[in-house]
């Protein structure tokens, strides 16, 4: 998943810039900003969810709690 995410961010510099801009901010602010960004950019949200899905499936099969 990390390699796929890295490739995605490398090939989508605008998305990478957004996530890089969050560094150092309080967690609650990050969550709110990511939520707003995802709502404003549904294609990016869907693409990142697709990348993340195998990890989510694995965690569910193993009973590991999901992180937001």
């Amino acid at each position: 998943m990390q390699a796929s995410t890295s490739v995605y961010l490398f090939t989508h510099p605008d998305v990478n810039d957004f996530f890089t801009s969050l560094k150092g901010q309080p967690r609650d602010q990050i969550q709110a900003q990511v939520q707003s960004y995802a709502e404003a950019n549904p294609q990016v949200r869907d693409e990142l969810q697709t990348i993340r899905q195998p990890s989510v499936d694995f965690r569910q099969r193993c009973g590991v709690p999901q992180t937001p």
Side-chain angles (χ1 to χ4, degrees), residues 2 4 6 8-9 12 15 17 20-21 24 28 32-34 37 40-41 44-45 51 55-57 59 62 64-65 67:
Q2 288 179 342
S4 297
S6 292
Y8 183 86
L9 293 174
H12 296 82
V15 179
D17 289 345
T20 300
S21 74
D28 60 333
Q33 289 183 48
V34 169
Y37 185 83
N41 299 280
V44 172
R45 179 197 61 220
I51 292 169
S55 177
V56 170
D57 294 343
R59 288 172 183 258
C62 295
V64 177
T67 56

Side-chain angles (χ1 to χ4, degrees), residues 7-45:
V7 169
Y8 183 86
L9 293 174
F10 181 77
T11 58
H12 296 82
D14 55 325
V15 179
N16 188 38
D17 289 345
F18 166 73
F19 282 103
T20 300
S21 74
L22 301 175
K23 185 177 181 178
Q25 295 184 30
R27 187 178 193 108
D28 60 333
Q29 288 181 7
I30 291 173
Q31 275 185 307
Q33 289 183 48
V34 169
Q35 181 67 33
S36 293
Y37 185 83
E39 290 171 3
N41 299 280
Q43 182 176 348
V44 172
R45 179 197 61 220

